[in-house]
Amino acid sequence: MDEITSVFVTESREQLEAMEAALLQLEDNPDDADILGAVFRAAHTIKGGAGVIECGFLVAFTHVVESALDKLRNGEITANADLIALLLACSDHMGHLIGVLESGTAAPGGDLQTDGDALLARLQRDWLSADAVGAAAAPAPKAEPVLSSGGGAVETDCWHISLRFGPDVLKNGMDPLSFLRYLTTLGRIERIETLADAMPAAEEMDPEACYLGFEISFSSDADKAAIERVFDFVRDECALYILPPRSRLADYMQLMAALPEDSMRLGEILVRVGALTQAELDEGLRTQSAGTEPDAAGEPHPAAPLGEILVEQHVVQPELVEAAVVKQKQVSDKKAADARLIRIQADKLDRLIDLVGELVIAGASVNLLASRAGQADLTEATSIVSRLVESIRDSALQLRMVQIGETFGRFNRVVRDVSKELGKDIELVITGGETELDKSVVEKIGDPLMHLVRNAIDHGIEPPEVRAARGKPPRGRLALNAFHDSGSIVIEIVDDGGGLNRDKITRKAVERGLIASGQSLSDNEIYGLIFEPGFSTADRVSNLSGRGVGMDVVKRNIQSLRGRVEVSSTEGEGTRFSIRLPLTLAIIDGFLVGAGAASYVIPLDTVVECMELQAVTTERNYLNLRGEVLPFIRLRNLFEIDGERPRRENVVVVRAAGQKAGIVVDQLLGEFQTVIKPLGHLFRNLRGIGGSTILGSGEVALILDVQALAQLAAKGEETSLSHNQTGRNSLAN
Amino acid sequence: MKTIFLVDDSATILLSISGILTKAGYGVEKASNPQEALKKFQAGAKVDLLITDLNMPGMNGIELIREVRKLPNCRFMPILFLTTESEQSKKAEAKAAGASGWIVKPASADELLNTIKLVVR
């Protein structure tokens, strides 16, 4: 695909998204001129671009859509649900056509063509047909005046062009000569006479005004419309008469009458340019002066009124438009801020961020060497460098940050379509659309989100009758929300539907052998079961969800982004899914700790505090943090590091997803900019480790997955506690 | 070298027209929205021709033409606008705002260059 086509494809997809969003807005505001304008503009831009890259099938389809939108914009038809649905279908089809273009196929396949034709037929039949006839009739070419009298044809093979430029031509930036030059691209100017008759005396002459006229004898194969088009730009301010070869003498006479100059003088000129012979001129003049028939003279269009109309236009136009300008001004000021964007290929950004990552690693090793050398000024210089590197890192990552709003926006359509299909009435509420996260994360979160949204519509929100029976408003509510929370982004999908059914899930889990019957589980654990592979509580498989490729895939996708998904629910009131994702997949601020000879990185944003581990009084792994129970784990135990524990151990208190835990380490080594290198496939299922990084010394350090560790710490405590209890119980028995 | 300033919100059109113009030996400056263009002209930019689209979000091409015409550095600058067969009614309005002429999209390279020669000397 060449560059321009790929630019077009990207641009058109954006335009289609804008068009779709505007169409959806139109449902609620069918008369809003701004929205109508936006829809039209999107189609218009796509058609324009398609024309440029000569993609005929897309032009043809979009043209009809654009016509309908134009009618809509002009208020000739009004948008209703049918039309909007049809236009949405058309915009989908345009998306398919762009896909065809992208794939490099010359024309859409049979099915696609049939679909497109069907859509166009519906547009034509229901929305364009009645008016289409009228519209076609309206711009019918003006009939050329036909003269009924006036002798035979003039013997010449040349066109005759009479041209009188208006006084403002020069002021408007036009050079009369350039039109004559342009004319020669169509044929040959055989003869030309310049008329300066309109030129006033020197003291009255306006040096900026044009007083010139031309009589031209022109040989060309072009048709009259083409010749006229040459003068398009000055058409309404100049007098132009074009007589085809072999025009009737009467036509010339009429021409002479129409022109401002004296007939006798004009006649001479016509003879001089070879348009007429002297004999023809004489005959013509004789007929004219003798002309008793009132129609023969056919009152010509005097040139003066044209000028007057023009003046009028100049006076009226600014005022007319001024009001509209003021109104649009406020809108445009706001939009101007949005519009200052630069388009950059994503690969280039990725490359930059890779390089910044390498820079960070290289910087760390320079720091290390500097501190070993122990030279104060060297250490100072490197610390400035590393501060700058840090800023560069942040700015570079910022470049790749995009708002999640665009992703959310896509769900308007999904919710609308799916709820219609299911006969439900659902309102989508979007908040926090301006929350930013890394583009690479945004790209991958779309599918899991889509699945959760569809699930909420299909299984979560009840049909209107059921809702009414339960005393809820018949219109369901689905909310998408996003916000930042300690270095992560949290995305919530909240519905006000029936909620998860504890008993049903438990029953199903027992059936599937996921849990033993009679096993008592907390609410969270039960809800967590829906993420197990092959788990579906849907009794029937609907068109949308319940096909078994379910929540476990969602969970896996989110985990592959180093994220977590959690669910909470109240039966009868609704369900809330929260997805917690890291803001970026590339570089983080880390906290470096040591255990044995190895170093580990804890993401800095999860660190709450650090302190010395006081003598632990019990065998159990928790400590008293100012009256709070803090479960902890020892890295030495976790990673089975041999050797003597140091005299002094430290605890790093971390918090993840609302849970606090302690991580016991040997040494605290301080903050460290961490470039995340993903672990290989082999380690995909390893819990507790989120990745690896390279230290300044060239050694590898593992990055701890704090949330998993915190859970592990809490769970470890829980199990040991319940073991103790069962132990005690069995003893009692 | 003659310089032409091109304003269009469609990246496709910008790319294609600027390609044709560069090949024909013109210098090309581009803006993807009228506000940016207006700002450059207000800052005193002088070019030999302005070509602008009419249908753009926020500020339309006609407003741009009207604003630009008021600037002393643009008083005599020829202005062409891009239009389509379906927008005939806009021509009068754009001309009244100060445009010199128009180019009907999609235009062949020859049509484009011939039209430009009409207004750029």
Side-chain angles (χ1 to χ4, degrees):
Chain A
M1 194 161 47
D2 58 355
E3 186 191 3
I4 189 154
T5 309
S6 88
V7 166
F8 171 73
V9 167
T10 317
E11 175 176 37
S12 306
R13 293 220 187 279
E14 282 166 18
Q15 292 291 345
L16 273 184
E17 266 178 40
M19 179 168 161
E20 192 179 293
L23 279 171
L24 291 170
Q25 284 175 15
L26 207 57
E27 280 195 317
D28 298 323
N29 317 289
D31 303 318
D32 191 313
D34 286 347
I35 301 176
L36 285 168
V39 180
F40 176 81
R41 201 162 44 237
H44 187 75
T45 305
I46 295 174
K47 191 184 105 177
V52 168
I53 60 161
E54 291 170 349
C55 177
F57 57 86
L58 188 55
V59 173
F61 185 84
T62 314
H63 176 72
V64 182
V65 177
E66 188 196 22
S67 313
L69 292 173
D70 195 35
K71 281 188 181 306
L72 204 54
R73 190 175 61 153
N74 296 334
E76 291 167 47
I77 53 179
T78 315
N80 61 15
D82 283 350
L83 179 57
I84 290 173
L86 182 55
L87 288 172
L88 280 170
C90 288
S91 100
D92 288 346
H93 187 74
M94 282 155 71
H96 298 321
L97 292 181
I98 292 167
V100 170
L101 173 69
E102 200 176 10
S103 69
T105 320
D111 280 358
L112 205 53
Q113 189 64 45
T114 321
D115 290 352
D117 291 347
L119 286 170
L120 292 189
R122 274 175 64 198
L123 264 183
Q124 290 284 9
R125 190 188 63 219
D126 299 343
W127 301 98
L128 291 168
S129 59
D131 312 79
V133 179
K142 274 179 259 160
E144 295 297 327
V146 178
L147 288 183
S148 53
S149 65
V154 173
E155 280 306 312
T156 163
D157 290 332
C158 290
W159 293 79
H160 183 78
I161 302 169
S162 296
L163 184 62
R164 302 291 179 273
F165 282 106
D168 286 338
V169 166
L170 296 173
K171 287 181 194 159
N172 290 346
M174 297 295 183
D175 180 358
L177 205 54
S178 56
F179 290 94
L180 301 181
R181 256 187 246 121
Y182 192 15
L183 189 64
T184 58
T185 62
L186 295 180
R188 218 173 100 88
I189 295 178
E190 299 291 347
R191 287 199 191 125
I192 184 164
E193 282 290 322
T194 308
L195 287 101
D197 294 43
M199 184 83 77
E203 62 268 27
E204 290 163 33
M205 196 189 94
D206 174 358
E208 289 186 359
C210 178
Y211 299 103
L212 295 180
F214 298 94
E215 292 293 327
I216 304 160
S217 179
F218 182 61
S219 66
S220 165
D221 295 333
D223 60 1
K224 188 171 179 183
I227 297 176
E228 259 181 345
R229 217 174 296 132
V230 171
F231 302 97
D232 248 356
F233 296 173
V234 286
R235 190 65 204 278
D236 43 8
E237 50 195 309
C238 79
L240 173 70
Y241 301 90
I242 301 171
L243 292 181
R246 290 175 221 290
S247 286
R248 275 171 303 225
L249 191 52
D251 297 338
Y252 282 92
M253 291 304 120
Q254 195 182 356
L255 169 76
M256 284 161 65
L259 290 168
E261 290 86 4
D262 173 69
S263 287
M264 287 305 287
R265 163 146 170 70
L266 266 178
E268 281 171 34
I269 290 165
L270 289 180
V271 171
R272 226 186 294 160
V273 296
L276 299 175
T277 61
Q278 189 62 44
E280 283 167 338
L281 174 66
D282 288 347
E283 190 198 332
L285 288 175
R286 219 175 22 250
T287 329
Q288 200 178 41
S289 54
T292 41
E293 313 96 327
D295 67 312
E299 195 51 43
H301 316 287
L306 269 178
E308 277 173 32
I309 291 165
L310 219 103
V311 172
E312 239 174 60
Q313 276 182 350
H314 273 303
V315 178
V316 174
Q317 219 67 34
E319 286 168 4
L320 240 168
V321 199
E322 206 67 32
V325 173
V326 173
K327 187 185 157 269
Q328 288 193 342
K329 189 89 183 159
Q330 297 125 352
V331 184
S332 63
D333 284 351
K334 187 190 154 285
K335 284 189 179 157
D338 307 340
R340 264 179 241 119
L341 297 171
I342 299 180
R343 235 171 252 275
I344 293 183
Q345 277 180 352
D347 319 353
K348 289 187 187 167
L349 271 187
D350 293 347
R351 172 96 184 111
L352 174 68
I353 285 168
D354 281 349
L355 285 175
V356 171
E358 296 303 322
L359 183 62
V360 168
I361 293 173
S365 78
V366 172
N367 273 346
L368 193 75
L369 291 177
S371 69
R372 267 190 209 152
Q375 284 182 28
D377 36 1
L378 182 60
T379 321
E380 186 161 337
T382 53
S383 79
I384 293 173
V385 170
S386 50
R387 205 173 60 229
L388 287 174
V389 167
E390 213 169 302
S391 313
I392 291 175
R393 176 202 69 181
D394 289 345
S395 315
L397 286 177
Q398 194 61 42
L399 288 179
R400 218 168 50 172
M401 289 294 195
V402 293
Q403 298 192 343
I404 197 167
E406 200 182 312
T407 309
F408 278 0
R410 269 192 276 155
F411 290 106
N412 277 314
R413 176 77 187 275
V414 176
V415 171
R416 178 189 171 280
D417 286 358
V418 175
S419 56
K420 264 205 179 135
E421 194 177 313
L422 295 172
K424 295 180 181 179
D425 185 11
I426 297 172
E427 170 193 23
L428 178 68
V429 183
I430 292 175
T431 44
E434 70 290 345
T435 314
E436 288 190 327
L437 76 165
D438 197 293
K439 185 169 164 55
S440 54
V441 182
V442 166
E443 279 165 1
K444 290 177 191 139
I445 196 63
D447 285 349
L449 266 186
M450 178 72 79
H451 203 96
L452 290 175
V453 166
R454 282 173 174 251
N455 248 318
I457 302 170
D458 198 7
H459 302 314
I461 294 173
E462 313 95 326
E465 318 83 67
V466 180
R467 293 180 62 88
R470 289 181 181 172
K472 290 180 179 181
R475 183 163 215 207
R477 190 170 185 280
L478 180 66
L480 286 175
N481 184 26
F483 55 92
H484 283 155
D485 179 45
S486 61
S488 314
I489 180 171
V490 180
I491 302 169
E492 294 181 323
I493 301 104
V494 186
D495 68 63
D496 68 346
L500 295 175
N501 186 323
R502 256 191 78 114
D503 301 338
K504 207 165 166 185
I505 295 173
T506 317
R507 221 168 37 239
K508 201 98 176 181
V510 172
E511 236 170 69
R512 294 274 151 94
L514 296 171
I515 53 172
S517 66
Q519 191 177 346
S520 72
L521 293 168
S522 72
D523 280 1
N524 271 339
E525 283 166 319
I526 291 176
Y527 296 147
L529 289 171
I530 63 170
F531 293 112
E532 293 299 322
F535 190 94
S536 168
T537 57
D539 297 326
R540 67 198 160 74
V541 173
S542 80
N543 195 9
L544 298 163
S545 41
R547 276 187 226 123
V549 281
M551 303 298 263
D552 60 316
V553 178
V554 171
K555 188 174 187 179
R556 261 214 312 280
N557 282 345
I558 293 171
Q559 275 175 341
S560 71
L561 296 170
R562 295 195 296 117
R564 296 270 172 284
V565 54
E566 273 159 24
V567 55
S568 64
S569 176
T570 312
E571 202 169 344
E573 283 174 26
T575 311
R576 170 188 305 263
F577 286 92
S578 355
I579 300 172
R580 181 176 283 271
L581 294 167
L583 282 183
T584 168
L585 300 176
I587 307 175
I588 56 169
D589 274 318
F591 188 74
L592 197 61
V593 297
S599 303
Y600 301 89
V601 175
I602 302 173
L604 191 63
D605 46 56
T606 62
V607 175
V608 181
E609 59 181 313
C610 302
M611 57 186 180
E612 193 180 343
L613 181 70
Q614 304 293 340
V616 183
T617 46
T618 67
E619 276 305 295
R620 300 260 308 283
N621 283 338
Y622 73 85
L623 55 87
N624 180 342
L625 177 70
R626 295 183 290 275
E628 204 180 318
V629 175
L630 186 77
F632 66 78
I633 46 172
R634 291 173 188 276
L635 281 193
R636 273 181 171 274
N637 295 354
L638 189 68
F639 294 114
E640 297 177 355
I641 297 167
D642 299 326
E644 190 79 359
R645 277 190 202 166
R647 271 226 310 275
R648 182 191 147 130
E649 284 180 300
N650 293 290
V651 190
V652 181
V653 181
V654 294
R655 184 207 298 276
Q659 199 160 26
K660 259 192 191 176
I663 299 174
V664 178
V665 302
D666 293 358
Q667 301 135 314
L668 305 174
L669 300 171
E671 286 182 31
F672 176 72
Q673 289 188 61
T674 312
V675 181
I676 300 177
K677 304 276 175 188
L679 291 173
H681 264 292
L682 196 58
F683 304 105
R684 210 175 34 189
N685 295 321
L686 200 60
R687 275 172 62 82
I689 294 176
S692 64
T693 188
I694 299 167
L695 300 179
S697 58
E699 283 170 52
V700 172
L702 295 176
I703 301 168
L704 300 180
D705 177 351
V706 167
Q707 196 174 354
L709 290 185
Q711 270 171 4
L712 202 66
K715 221 177 206 143
E717 266 313 279
E718 226 167 80
T719 355
S720 68
L721 190 66
S722 57
H723 276 168
N724 284 349
Q725 273 171 353
T726 29
R728 238 173 275 143
N729 288 348
S730 53
L731 273 181
N733 289 342
Chain B
M1 188 172 62
K2 303 281 183 191
T3 306
I4 298 178
F5 199 112
L6 197 57
V7 188
D8 198 309
D9 59 331
S10 161
T12 314
I13 305 263
L14 274 187
L15 192 64
S16 75
I17 295 188
S18 64
I20 295 171
L21 295 183
T22 316
K23 221 183 260 172
Y26 291 103
V28 181
E29 288 191 40
K30 290 182 276 189
S32 61
N33 64 78
Q35 292 88 355
E36 189 186 327
L38 182 57
K39 206 166 239 182
K40 291 223 171 123
F41 285 116
Q42 279 166 344
K46 271 196 111 159
V47 297
D48 300 287
L49 170 67
L50 166 65
I51 301 181
T52 175
D53 191 21
L54 286 190
N55 222 324
M56 289 178 286
M59 179 190 209
N60 68 40
I62 293 177
E63 289 167 59
L64 174 68
I65 295 171
R66 193 174 295 123
E67 290 301 317
V68 160
R69 262 292 175 247
K70 290 182 194 159
L71 301 170
N73 49 324
C74 303
R75 244 189 89 199
F76 298 109
M77 169 180 70
I79 301 177
L80 293 176
F81 55 92
L82 296 165
T83 181
T84 58
E85 286 306 331
S86 59
E87 286 183 321
Q88 294 290 341
S89 58
K90 290 268 181 75
K91 284 184 187 168
E93 199 187 341
K95 284 216 74 177
S100 322
W102 57 85
I103 297 162
V104 175
K105 289 186 287 191
S108 72
D110 281 350
E111 283 167 334
L112 182 73
L113 294 172
N114 275 334
T115 312
I116 289 172
K117 277 189 209 135
L118 256 186
V119 291
V120 175
R121 286 178 281 283

